[in-house]
Amino acid sequence: NARILAAADKVSSKGVYTNLYAALAKGVAMLDKEGRPGQEKMLVLMSVGKMDVGDTDEDWSLTQKLQDELLESAREKGIKVYTIAFTEASDIELLKGMAGHTDALFKLAKTDEDLHEVFSAIFESAADPDMLPMDGNRFVVDDSIEEVTIVASKEREDVRIYLESPDGGKIGPEDTGDQLKWFMSQSFDMITISTPQEGAWKILF
């Protein structure tokens, strides 16, 4: 999830055309070639526009092929196509249909700040994780938990987030390693801890 978010920072919308068929076909082909057996297959397709390859007839033809053939192929291969629209000018109905046909999720992200909430929703939908209750800034880990992921929102880019472990130790992004992954962005941090210490953890701002 953090790698997806990091890649999203590099996405450009400067292209002249929007070819949703080609994007989905490329993604399906990549999963055919690189997907590992036994792992759930999913694609995240992000769009700022409608199908537009510079020819109205071709736009219609590609849309029909996408709906009638390509989505069915993705579904048969067990690929879930999660879709994100960045503006209401996007082809929202088509994007909703793509997600719905493959048992995935569609979301509208109007601002940069919305994006982490959208990816969190996709992560929860795809991974179906157990959720730990929060008591203010505190959560409790027991011996049944092998890994915990925290998504902590922040109001300003200059806010620093730390964790306090049950033994009172202070953990930050400088402590990343095999057991700690820490992704930082302007509006949130995503932290994953493997084999977390049992007891009460705190999120510090």
Side-chain angles (χ1 to χ4, degrees), residues 49-70:
K50 298 180 183 294
M51 179 78 79
D52 180 8
V53 296
D55 182 306
T56 305
D57 290 340
E58 185 68 6
D59 294 341
W60 185 87
S61 176
L62 286 173
T63 300
Q64 294 304 117
K65 283 181 67 179
L66 188 156
Q67 293 174 316
D68 298 340
E69 300 172 19
L70 190 53

mmCIF file of all heavy atoms in Angstrom, residues 49-70:
data_model
loop_
_atom_site.group_PDB
_atom_site.id
_atom_site.type_symbol
_atom_site.label_atom_id
_atom_site.label_comp_id
_atom_site.label_asym_id
_atom_site.label_seq_id
_atom_site.Cartn_x
_atom_site.Cartn_y
_atom_site.Cartn_z
ATOM 1 N N GLY A 49 -10.205 11.766 -16.638
ATOM 2 C CA GLY A 49 -11.047 12.102 -17.778
ATOM 3 C C GLY A 49 -11.900 10.947 -18.258
ATOM 4 O O GLY A 49 -11.996 9.906 -17.625
ATOM 5 N N LYS A 50 -12.512 11.156 -19.387
ATOM 6 C CA LYS A 50 -13.329 10.138 -20.036
ATOM 7 C C LYS A 50 -12.508 9.482 -21.144
ATOM 8 O O LYS A 50 -11.463 9.993 -21.542
ATOM 9 C CB LYS A 50 -14.594 10.764 -20.637
ATOM 10 C CG LYS A 50 -15.515 11.411 -19.601
ATOM 11 C CD LYS A 50 -16.742 12.002 -20.270
ATOM 12 C CE LYS A 50 -17.635 12.727 -19.270
ATOM 13 N NZ LYS A 50 -18.244 11.844 -18.282
ATOM 14 N N MET A 51 -13.001 8.357 -21.660
ATOM 15 C CA MET A 51 -12.333 7.684 -22.773
ATOM 16 C C MET A 51 -12.213 8.652 -23.946
ATOM 17 O O MET A 51 -13.208 9.158 -24.459
ATOM 18 C CB MET A 51 -13.140 6.448 -23.195
ATOM 19 C CG MET A 51 -12.527 5.697 -24.368
ATOM 20 S SD MET A 51 -11.132 4.669 -23.878
ATOM 21 C CE MET A 51 -11.997 3.259 -23.195
ATOM 22 N N ASP A 52 -10.992 8.924 -24.347
ATOM 23 C CA ASP A 52 -10.761 9.886 -25.428
ATOM 24 C C ASP A 52 -9.438 9.575 -26.099
ATOM 25 O O ASP A 52 -8.372 9.846 -25.547
ATOM 26 C CB ASP A 52 -10.750 11.308 -24.871
ATOM 27 C CG ASP A 52 -10.512 12.364 -25.947
ATOM 28 O OD1 ASP A 52 -10.499 12.003 -27.155
ATOM 29 O OD2 ASP A 52 -10.328 13.544 -25.587
ATOM 30 N N VAL A 53 -9.508 8.981 -27.297
ATOM 31 C CA VAL A 53 -8.289 8.685 -28.050
ATOM 32 C C VAL A 53 -8.206 9.548 -29.308
ATOM 33 O O VAL A 53 -7.417 9.281 -30.213
ATOM 34 C CB VAL A 53 -8.210 7.186 -28.413
ATOM 35 C CG1 VAL A 53 -8.114 6.344 -27.159
ATOM 36 C CG2 VAL A 53 -9.392 6.750 -29.273
ATOM 37 N N GLY A 54 -9.060 10.600 -29.368
ATOM 38 C CA GLY A 54 -9.015 11.517 -30.496
ATOM 39 C C GLY A 54 -9.947 11.159 -31.626
ATOM 40 O O GLY A 54 -9.936 11.815 -32.668
ATOM 41 N N ASP A 55 -10.766 10.112 -31.457
ATOM 42 C CA ASP A 55 -11.701 9.677 -32.490
ATOM 43 C C ASP A 55 -12.963 9.167 -31.788
ATOM 44 O O ASP A 55 -12.909 8.183 -31.052
ATOM 45 C CB ASP A 55 -11.077 8.573 -33.336
ATOM 46 C CG ASP A 55 -11.973 8.103 -34.474
ATOM 47 O OD1 ASP A 55 -13.130 7.740 -34.198
ATOM 48 O OD2 ASP A 55 -11.508 8.071 -35.623
ATOM 49 N N THR A 56 -14.107 9.829 -32.011
ATOM 50 C CA THR A 56 -15.339 9.505 -31.295
ATOM 51 C C THR A 56 -15.774 8.068 -31.530
ATOM 52 O O THR A 56 -16.186 7.366 -30.589
ATOM 53 C CB THR A 56 -16.474 10.460 -31.717
ATOM 54 O OG1 THR A 56 -16.038 11.807 -31.511
ATOM 55 C CG2 THR A 56 -17.720 10.213 -30.889
ATOM 56 N N ASP A 57 -15.692 7.599 -32.777
ATOM 57 C CA ASP A 57 -16.084 6.216 -33.078
ATOM 58 C C ASP A 57 -15.174 5.215 -32.364
ATOM 59 O O ASP A 57 -15.637 4.192 -31.846
ATOM 60 C CB ASP A 57 -16.048 5.957 -34.593
ATOM 61 C CG ASP A 57 -17.155 6.701 -35.330
ATOM 62 O OD1 ASP A 57 -18.142 7.083 -34.668
ATOM 63 O OD2 ASP A 57 -17.022 6.916 -36.545
ATOM 64 N N GLU A 58 -13.876 5.508 -32.337
ATOM 65 C CA GLU A 58 -12.925 4.623 -31.668
ATOM 66 C C GLU A 58 -13.146 4.646 -30.160
ATOM 67 O O GLU A 58 -13.025 3.607 -29.484
ATOM 68 C CB GLU A 58 -11.497 5.053 -32.003
ATOM 69 C CG GLU A 58 -10.406 4.135 -31.454
ATOM 70 C CD GLU A 58 -10.377 2.756 -32.109
ATOM 71 O OE1 GLU A 58 -11.130 2.528 -33.086
ATOM 72 O OE2 GLU A 58 -9.608 1.904 -31.636
ATOM 73 N N ASP A 59 -13.495 5.814 -29.623
ATOM 74 C CA ASP A 59 -13.819 5.906 -28.195
ATOM 75 C C ASP A 59 -14.958 4.951 -27.846
ATOM 76 O O ASP A 59 -14.889 4.202 -26.864
ATOM 77 C CB ASP A 59 -14.242 7.335 -27.813
ATOM 78 C CG ASP A 59 -13.121 8.340 -27.933
ATOM 79 O OD1 ASP A 59 -11.944 7.921 -27.950
ATOM 80 O OD2 ASP A 59 -13.421 9.541 -28.011
ATOM 81 N N TRP A 60 -16.009 4.975 -28.649
ATOM 82 C CA TRP A 60 -17.174 4.114 -28.405
ATOM 83 C C TRP A 60 -16.799 2.644 -28.538
ATOM 84 O O TRP A 60 -17.177 1.816 -27.704
ATOM 85 C CB TRP A 60 -18.284 4.455 -29.394
ATOM 86 C CG TRP A 60 -19.561 3.702 -29.141
ATOM 87 C CD1 TRP A 60 -20.581 4.061 -28.303
ATOM 88 C CD2 TRP A 60 -19.925 2.448 -29.720
ATOM 89 N NE1 TRP A 60 -21.567 3.097 -28.314
ATOM 90 C CE2 TRP A 60 -21.198 2.098 -29.173
ATOM 91 C CE3 TRP A 60 -19.328 1.587 -30.636
ATOM 92 C CZ2 TRP A 60 -21.860 0.926 -29.524
ATOM 93 C CZ3 TRP A 60 -19.991 0.415 -30.975
ATOM 94 C CH2 TRP A 60 -21.234 0.089 -30.434
ATOM 95 N N SER A 61 -16.021 2.330 -29.587
ATOM 96 C CA SER A 61 -15.620 0.945 -29.830
ATOM 97 C C SER A 61 -14.768 0.402 -28.682
ATOM 98 O O SER A 61 -14.977 -0.731 -28.212
ATOM 99 C CB SER A 61 -14.845 0.855 -31.147
ATOM 100 O OG SER A 61 -14.363 -0.456 -31.346
ATOM 101 N N LEU A 62 -13.803 1.198 -28.212
ATOM 102 C CA LEU A 62 -12.934 0.752 -27.122
ATOM 103 C C LEU A 62 -13.712 0.596 -25.818
ATOM 104 O O LEU A 62 -13.454 -0.321 -25.034
ATOM 105 C CB LEU A 62 -11.778 1.742 -26.929
ATOM 106 C CG LEU A 62 -10.681 1.702 -27.997
ATOM 107 C CD1 LEU A 62 -9.694 2.846 -27.792
ATOM 108 C CD2 LEU A 62 -9.947 0.366 -27.976
ATOM 109 N N THR A 63 -14.660 1.498 -25.593
ATOM 110 C CA THR A 63 -15.493 1.385 -24.388
ATOM 111 C C THR A 63 -16.290 0.091 -24.406
ATOM 112 O O THR A 63 -16.392 -0.612 -23.392
ATOM 113 C CB THR A 63 -16.439 2.591 -24.263
ATOM 114 O OG1 THR A 63 -15.665 3.794 -24.187
ATOM 115 C CG2 THR A 63 -17.312 2.479 -23.022
ATOM 116 N N GLN A 64 -16.869 -0.251 -25.567
ATOM 117 C CA GLN A 64 -17.635 -1.498 -25.691
ATOM 118 C C GLN A 64 -16.729 -2.714 -25.479
ATOM 119 O O GLN A 64 -17.101 -3.663 -24.797
ATOM 120 C CB GLN A 64 -18.308 -1.576 -27.062
ATOM 121 C CG GLN A 64 -19.384 -0.526 -27.281
ATOM 122 C CD GLN A 64 -20.459 -0.574 -26.204
ATOM 123 O OE1 GLN A 64 -20.639 0.374 -25.450
ATOM 124 N NE2 GLN A 64 -21.153 -1.682 -26.106
ATOM 125 N N LYS A 65 -15.531 -2.681 -26.061
ATOM 126 C CA LYS A 65 -14.593 -3.799 -25.880
ATOM 127 C C LYS A 65 -14.174 -3.938 -24.431
ATOM 128 O O LYS A 65 -14.026 -5.046 -23.912
ATOM 129 C CB LYS A 65 -13.354 -3.595 -26.773
ATOM 130 C CG LYS A 65 -13.565 -3.906 -28.241
ATOM 131 C CD LYS A 65 -12.284 -3.705 -29.038
ATOM 132 C CE LYS A 65 -11.223 -4.714 -28.658
ATOM 133 N NZ LYS A 65 -9.982 -4.552 -29.451
ATOM 134 N N LEU A 66 -13.982 -2.803 -23.772
ATOM 135 C CA LEU A 66 -13.610 -2.828 -22.365
ATOM 136 C C LEU A 66 -14.712 -3.488 -21.542
ATOM 137 O O LEU A 66 -14.455 -4.369 -20.712
ATOM 138 C CB LEU A 66 -13.356 -1.395 -21.882
ATOM 139 C CG LEU A 66 -12.772 -1.204 -20.471
ATOM 140 C CD1 LEU A 66 -12.045 0.132 -20.389
ATOM 141 C CD2 LEU A 66 -13.833 -1.261 -19.395
ATOM 142 N N GLN A 67 -15.959 -3.070 -21.777
ATOM 143 C CA GLN A 67 -17.079 -3.574 -20.988
ATOM 144 C C GLN A 67 -17.435 -5.016 -21.337
ATOM 145 O O GLN A 67 -17.763 -5.807 -20.452
ATOM 146 C CB GLN A 67 -18.299 -2.671 -21.194
ATOM 147 C CG GLN A 67 -18.123 -1.263 -20.608
ATOM 148 C CD GLN A 67 -19.272 -0.336 -20.950
ATOM 149 O OE1 GLN A 67 -19.733 -0.298 -22.091
ATOM 150 N NE2 GLN A 67 -19.735 0.428 -19.978
ATOM 151 N N ASP A 68 -17.382 -5.366 -22.625
ATOM 152 C CA ASP A 68 -17.870 -6.676 -23.062
ATOM 153 C C ASP A 68 -16.815 -7.775 -23.006
ATOM 154 O O ASP A 68 -17.149 -8.942 -22.819
ATOM 155 C CB ASP A 68 -18.416 -6.585 -24.494
ATOM 156 C CG ASP A 68 -19.604 -5.644 -24.599
ATOM 157 O OD1 ASP A 68 -20.235 -5.374 -23.551
ATOM 158 O OD2 ASP A 68 -19.896 -5.163 -25.707
ATOM 159 N N GLU A 69 -15.537 -7.416 -23.181
ATOM 160 C CA GLU A 69 -14.496 -8.434 -23.294
ATOM 161 C C GLU A 69 -13.439 -8.327 -22.186
ATOM 162 O O GLU A 69 -13.174 -9.292 -21.469
ATOM 163 C CB GLU A 69 -13.798 -8.327 -24.662
ATOM 164 C CG GLU A 69 -14.726 -8.521 -25.854
ATOM 165 C CD GLU A 69 -14.034 -8.210 -27.169
ATOM 166 O OE1 GLU A 69 -12.773 -8.202 -27.198
ATOM 167 O OE2 GLU A 69 -14.732 -7.967 -28.171
ATOM 168 N N LEU A 70 -12.835 -7.146 -22.064
ATOM 169 C CA LEU A 70 -11.669 -7.008 -21.192
ATOM 170 C C LEU A 70 -12.041 -7.184 -19.719
ATOM 171 O O LEU A 70 -11.336 -7.871 -18.970
ATOM 172 C CB LEU A 70 -11.012 -5.648 -21.428
ATOM 173 C CG LEU A 70 -9.653 -5.407 -20.777
ATOM 174 C CD1 LEU A 70 -8.666 -6.508 -21.133
ATOM 175 C CD2 LEU A 70 -9.095 -4.048 -21.196
#
